Amino acid sequence: MGDAVTDYTYYKNEYGGALSEEDFAKFRKAAQAVIHCLLLPRHPADYPQKADAIRCAVCLQTDKTAGCSDSAGLAAETIGDYRAEYRTPALTVLGMEVSPEALMVLSHAGLLNQWI
């Protein structure tokens, strides 16, 4: 996926991201590769009408890859002195944890590969 699906202007102004331009550039490429794997064998260019969903998913994954996302899939409950924590197993692609929010955006847009 050589061409960029999104850029820093979209990330900052539309998505409302918090990364610096330098950090965005550093993490976007890996995040975009993850999203591309979720779309295989299709390419984002095949879905111009769903470009906003793909751009949003890349931004969500960029934040997850950079460690900005707090979606750890952790839940806890406490009863008296007893405390239990539960962690939802994470989906990984290319060795990176996938953003649950990015999965939701792609799923809602009907873009997820059927193996997900």
Side-chain angles (χ1 to χ4, degrees), residues 3-17:
D3 53 337
V5 171
T6 192
D7 59 17
Y8 188 71
T9 302
Y10 179 89
Y11 174 79
K12 195 71 171 171
N13 298 337
E14 299 295 321
Y15 171 74

Side-chain angles (χ1 to χ4, degrees), residues 21-114:
E21 189 167 6
E22 181 180 327
D23 285 342
F24 174 79
K26 182 169 42 173
F27 293 109
R28 183 207 43 89
K29 192 172 186 176
Q32 191 166 291
V34 168
I35 298 302
H36 182 70
C37 285
L38 297 173
L39 298 174
L40 283 175
R42 301 166 291 184
H43 188 278
D46 297 338
Y47 297 95
Q49 73 280 15
K50 298 187 180 192
D52 282 341
I54 295 169
R55 279 194 291 268
C56 181
V58 170
C59 291
L60 287 161
Q61 185 61 42
T62 299
D63 279 350
K64 181 72 169 177
T65 303
C68 295
S69 173
D70 61 356
S71 60
L74 181 66
E77 62 182 341
T78 303
I79 302 172
D81 292 336
Y82 176 77
R83 178 171 173 83
E85 291 185 357
Y86 310 93
R87 184 171 298 276
T88 305
L91 173 66
T92 58
V93 172
L94 302 173
M96 291 177 276
E97 191 174 327
V98 176
S99 162
E101 293 85 358
L103 284 174
M104 233 176 11
V105 166
L106 293 175
S107 177
H108 182 71
L111 291 169
L112 274 184
N113 191 317
Q114 292 196 10

